[in-house]
């Protein structure tokens, strides 16, 4: 039952990628910005969770909610300070700013607490039980269910609420949305808030599942989430979830075949292949440029 | 350009020192000089400040304790030891300067230090050129005593064992003490330390008749080891050797236990950090072993005596660096006694012939590469505490 075990490993990893990729994809969908600072919001989320569990003695769910709330605020602050005035600038200017914000947050955290790693405490009595010969831990089940619930809530917000409707309208055509009386600035802020809250949740989940957190932990998962978003079709929400899960499973399969040193490379090979053969991603439709 | 100039300057300086030493050699053979006095001058060139000051200061404490003991007992052949301490500020260039000063100005009989491999290698040429024995208490890189061409630095010795040796010790422990046959190796592909340990473990374990059923690697900074561990688990090893550093090892141990891998796990001194306990948790660390230089729990009489004396003097339990510094002095004392003289070449020859000397960190012999052949201590984690398990002879 090694393969079932590997599938469980892959889906657990993939669901964390998916949660981060959701924020990427939403921000890209609405203002066409690749927000490289998103991985750092994920890292901050992990640290807020850590502080609230070890420092303030909160349980898992309060810590998760607190981390999501603070990350949402941080996301909005980043958008207001760094990206808002660049909204009409070239896309490369916005991209470089995003990289700058990312480095600023990483080094800011290192400056205030040092670069040494921290270890998440065990919040659950971690029991493993046997599923057809594979070991599945309570943590893994909880992480999967939290991820799924958050994704369902997001789907509900985007499709059934007023703000979701506004987000879809702005992503379709910001100018026209403005003419229809939609407050574009607030809609963009809301997008950053929701995306960052999901990244914060992913940070706490990552901390619980992988124990070790450090100020540079956001870099690789951030890049992987970017790959996942492109894989699923950047700007498409179900695409980000699918891309994240596919990426997690692919990485696990690569390790399972004995090529563990190639797992990071595999992610980027996927990125290159998808950009060559289907740049719009799995869920993307081929749109023809109008002349 | 600048770099080149610095090098030529250094080369010129070393040459000059060689010449100077050549001159003073004649004087030394005359009536004056330290050699005929009633004391033996030993240089101490350690990292007393700077990045790795904790190693250097620990060793200095151990050295001082040993020297005090020897002097109270009447010294070596009636001569008292006099220490000349220089702080090399954890810097290789400073260590070079300190060595030159100790040899030419202080005319020491031998130098103890430096604590790190890099700062010791920087002095090796000077020690050879000036025929002054140099003993590093804790330089574990093989390159300390053997240069890149494979030639032995004749005058350079060390007290600690070399890195790959821990792999050998772990292999012997697994094969003989734990009696396991099928083992897996999980090493860090980004670290020479880890790869060196893994390859020496493999070689010696196979020599002992064991079988390596899985060989996997990871890269430092990974945090997801579950997929590779699943692969290892399916190979059904009875023991897993994980020669890495605590940051990754902590996660590997935790994830392995969660997946139901209950077999003994083992590593080396790279595991030695309180962070390991935070990351893995006390439960997961049960049934894991590490090799190290020294344990203060060792029931051996000499270790207990050293422990008590150290405690009395400094008010704390000695660590491995304290013990290595202490041992270095006794290693030198033994060589001077056997040489029957303080002539540096004779001391060097005596050091190279050291065989079966009982030290606090184990029985010490030296091989043709000036690498020690000595026992290593095996520690076992029990409920989050490192407990002395056994001593393994090579």
């Amino acid at each position: 039952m090694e393969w079932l075990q590997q599938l469980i490993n892959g889906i657990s990893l993939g669901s964390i990628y998916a949660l981060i990729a959701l924020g990427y994809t939403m921000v890209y969908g609405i203002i066409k910005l690749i927000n490289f600072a998103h991985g750092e919001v994920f890292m901050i989320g992990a640290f807020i969770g850590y502080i609230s569990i070890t420092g303030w003695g909160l349980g898992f769910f309060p810590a998760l909610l607190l981390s999501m709330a603070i990350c949402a605020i941080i996301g909005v602050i980043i958008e207001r300070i760094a990206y808002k005035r660049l909204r009409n600038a070239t896309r490369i200017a916005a991209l470089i700013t995003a990289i700058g914000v990312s480095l600023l947050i990483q080094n800011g955290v290192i400056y205030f607490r040092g670069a040494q790693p921290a270890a998440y405490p065990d919040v659950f009595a971690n029991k493993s039980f046997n599923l057809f010969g594979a070991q599945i831990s309570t943590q893994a089940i909880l992480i999967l269910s939290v991820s799924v619930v958050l994704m369902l809530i997001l789907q509900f917000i985007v499709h059934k609420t007023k703000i979701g409707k506004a987000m879809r309208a702005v992503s379709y055509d910001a100018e026209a949305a403005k003419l229809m009386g939609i407050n574009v600035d607030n809609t963009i802020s809301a997008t950053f808030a929701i995306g960052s809250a999901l990244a914060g949740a992913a940070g706490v989940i990552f901390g619980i599942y992988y124990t070790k957190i450090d100020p540079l932990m956001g870099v690789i998962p951030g890049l992987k989430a970017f790959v996942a978003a492109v894989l699923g079709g950047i700007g498409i929400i179900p695409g980000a979830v699918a891309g994240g899960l596919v990426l997690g499973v692919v990485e696990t399969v690569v390790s399972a075949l004995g090529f563990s040193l190639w797992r990071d490379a595999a992610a980027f090979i996927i990125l290159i292949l998808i950009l060559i053969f289907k740049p719009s991603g799995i869920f993307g439709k081929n749109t023809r440029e109008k002349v | 350009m600048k770099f080149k100039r610095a090098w030529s300057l250094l080369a010129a300086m070393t040459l000059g020192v060689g010449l100077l030493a050549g001159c003073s050699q004649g004087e030394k053979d005359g009536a004056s000089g330290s050699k005929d006095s009633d004391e033996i001058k030993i240089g101490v060139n350690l990292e007393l400040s700077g990045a790795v000051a904790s190693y250097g200061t620990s060793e200095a404490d151990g050295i001082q304790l040993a020297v005090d003991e020897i002097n109270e007992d009447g010294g070596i052949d009636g001569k008292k030891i006099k220490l000349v301490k220089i702080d090399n500020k954890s810097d290789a260039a400073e260590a070079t300067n300190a060595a030159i000063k100790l040899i030419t100005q202080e005319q020491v009989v031998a130098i103890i230090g430096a604590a790190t491999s890099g700062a010791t290698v920087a002095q090796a040429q000077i020690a050879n050129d000036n025929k002054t024995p140099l003993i590093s208490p804790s330089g574990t890189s093989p390159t300390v005593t053997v240069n890149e061409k494979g030639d032995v630095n004749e005058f350079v010795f060390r007290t600690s064992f070399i890195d790959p040796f821990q792999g050998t010790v772990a292999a012997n422990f697994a094969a003989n003490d734990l009696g396991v046959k099928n083992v897996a190796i999980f090493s860090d592909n980004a670290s020479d330390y880890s790869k060196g340990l893994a390859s020496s473990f493999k070689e010696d374990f196979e020599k002992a008749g064991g079988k390596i059923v899985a060989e996997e690697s990871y890269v430092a900074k990974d945090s997801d080891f579950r997929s590779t561990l699943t692969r290892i688990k399916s190979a059904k090893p009875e023991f897993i050797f994980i020669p890495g550093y605590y940051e990754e090892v902590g996660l590997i141990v935790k994830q392995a236990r969660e997946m139901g891998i209950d077999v003994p796990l083992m590593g080396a001194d790279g595991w030695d950090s309180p962070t390991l306990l935070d990351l893995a948790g006390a439960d997961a660390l049960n049934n894991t072993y590490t090799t190290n230089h020294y344990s203060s729990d060792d029931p051996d009489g000499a270790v207990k005596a050293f422990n008590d004396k150290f405690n009395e003097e400094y008010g704390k339990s000695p660590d491995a660096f304290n013990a290595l510094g202490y041992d270095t002095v006794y290693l030198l004392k033994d060589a001077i006694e056997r040489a029957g003289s303080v002539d540096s070449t004779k001391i060097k020859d005596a050091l190279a012939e050291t065989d079966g000397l009982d030290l606090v960190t184990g029985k010490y012999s030296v091989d043709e590469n000036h690498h020690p052949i000595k026992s290593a201590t095996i520690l076992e984690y029990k409920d989050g505490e490192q407990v002395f398990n056994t001593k393994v002879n090579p």
Side-chain angles (χ1 to χ4, degrees), chain A residues 8 20 23 28 35 39 41 68 103 118 144 147 157 176 189 212 235 240 253 257 277:
Chain A
I8 295 168
I20 313 174
Y28 183 86
N35 181 13
V41 176
M68 288 175 73
L103 291 172
L144 276 176
S147 303
I157 291 175
S189 292
K212 190 185 74 171
V253 167
L257 293 174
F277 293 109

Side-chain angles (χ1 to χ4, degrees), chain B residues 65-76 81 329-330 333:
Chain B
L65 183 68
V67 168
D68 291 347
E69 256 176 44
I70 293 169
N71 285 345
E72 270 168 38
D73 287 351
I76 304 172
I81 300 175
V329 177
Y330 277 97
K333 172 181 182 261

Side-chain angles (χ1 to χ4, degrees), chain A residues 182-195:
Chain A
I182 291 171
N183 187 334
V184 174
D185 281 343
N186 283 354
T187 310
I188 292 173
S189 292
T191 310
F192 268 90
I194 295 170

Side-chain angles (χ1 to χ4, degrees), chain B residues 10 34 53 65 81 115 131 153 157 169 182 192 229 250 293 302 311 325 331 341 348 367:
Chain B
L10 192 73
S34 66
L65 183 68
I81 300 175
K131 302 196 183 314
N153 289 323
F157 297 86
V169 171
N182 299 320
D192 287 340
L229 285 169
H293 302 276
N311 246 318
L331 177 63
S341 138
K348 181 263 297 182
D367 74 1

Side-chain angles (χ1 to χ4, degrees), chain A residues 6 9 128 209-211 256 260, chain B residues 217 224 227 230-231 254 258:
Chain A
Q6 295 289 23
N9 296 337
S128 293
Y209 195 52
Y210 290 113
T211 317
S260 55
Chain B
S217 20
D224 182 69
S227 44
T230 305
R231 200 177 144 81
K254 181 169 192 257
E258 277 171 15

Side-chain angles (χ1 to χ4, degrees), chain B residues 45-47 52 54-60 63 112-118 120 135-142 144 157-163 166 269 293 320-328 331 361 372 374:
Chain B
N45 179 354
L46 283 176
E47 291 80 346
V52 289
S54 82
Y55 300 163
T57 47
S58 285
E59 282 168 12
I63 291 167
I112 296 177
T116 57
S117 300
T120 312
I135 311 176
S136 170
S138 54
T140 50
S141 157
V144 167
F157 297 86
R158 71 172 103 228
T159 317
S160 60
F161 47 62
I162 57 169
D163 284 336
Q166 298 192 68
D269 58 347
H293 302 276
F321 290 105
N322 294 135
L324 287 169
Y326 180 86
D327 277 355
T328 306
L331 177 63
T361 57
K374 68 193 281 197

Side-chain angles (χ1 to χ4, degrees), chain A residues 23-263:
Chain A
Y24 257 111
T25 251
M26 287 169 69
V27 166
Y28 183 86
I30 205 153
I31 52 169
K32 303 279 177 284
L33 166 72
I34 294 173
N35 181 13
F36 269 111
H38 197 65
E40 275 53 56
V41 176
F42 158 77
M43 176 267 291
I44 291 178
F47 274 101
I48 294 167
Y50 172 74
I51 295 166
S52 38
I53 293 170
T54 57
W56 306 329
L58 296 183
F60 172 71
F61 284 107
L64 184 77
L65 292 176
L66 183 70
S67 172
M68 288 175 73
I70 296 178
C71 282
I73 295 167
I74 290 171
V76 172
I77 292 172
I78 293 173
E79 193 269 327
R80 284 285 155 101
I81 294 175
Y83 302 146
K84 192 177 173 190
R85 57 197 75 211
L86 291 173
R87 211 164 280 160
N88 296 317
T90 55
R91 277 167 70 180
I92 194 79
L95 178 69
I96 291 170
T97 308
I99 294 173
V101 171
S102 150
L103 291 172
L104 178 75
I105 298 176
Q106 282 167 19
N107 290 294
V109 174
I110 290 176
Y111 179 79
F112 285 111
R113 72 166 290 283
Q116 75 282 7
Y120 251 69
D122 273 329
V123 262
F124 314 105
N126 192 20
K127 273 185 233 137
S128 293
F129 45 89
N130 212 315
L131 183 80
F132 307 118
Q135 295 287 324
I136 185 163
S137 65
T138 40
Q139 272 180 7
I141 293 172
L142 191 101
I143 282 158
L144 276 176
S145 25
V146 170
S147 303
V148 170
V149 167
L150 286 175
M151 289 171 203
L152 291 177
I153 292 174
L154 178 70
Q155 200 66 7
F156 174 81
I157 291 175
V158 170
H159 289 285
K160 303 279 183 224
T161 63
K162 216 169 163 189
I163 188 74
K165 204 175 203 176
M167 279 159 63
R168 281 181 290 146
V170 172
S171 86
Y172 194 75
D173 188 335
E175 286 303 311
K178 201 182 242 168
L179 292 175
M180 293 298 127
I182 291 171
N183 187 334
V184 174
D185 281 343
N186 283 354
T187 310
I188 292 173
S189 292
T191 310
F192 268 90
I194 295 170
S196 301
L198 291 174
V204 178
I205 289 174
F206 183 94
I208 302 267
Y209 195 52
Y210 290 113
T211 317
K212 190 185 74 171
I213 59 169
D214 68 83
L216 298 180
M217 65 185 276
V219 179
I220 289 294
L223 283 174
K224 297 280 178 65
F226 169 68
V227 176
V230 174
L231 177 60
I234 194 151
I236 304 164
I237 287 174
V241 176
L245 291 175
V246 169
L247 194 62
V249 172
V250 167
E251 276 191 22
T252 310
V253 167
V254 169
S255 292
L257 293 174
F259 301 104
S260 55
L261 300 175
W262 284 84
R263 55 188 294 169

Side-chain angles (χ1 to χ4, degrees), chain B residues 107-124:
Chain B
Q107 303 199 348
V108 297
V109 168
I111 298 176
I112 296 177
T116 57
S117 300
T120 312
V121 171
Q123 307 167 55

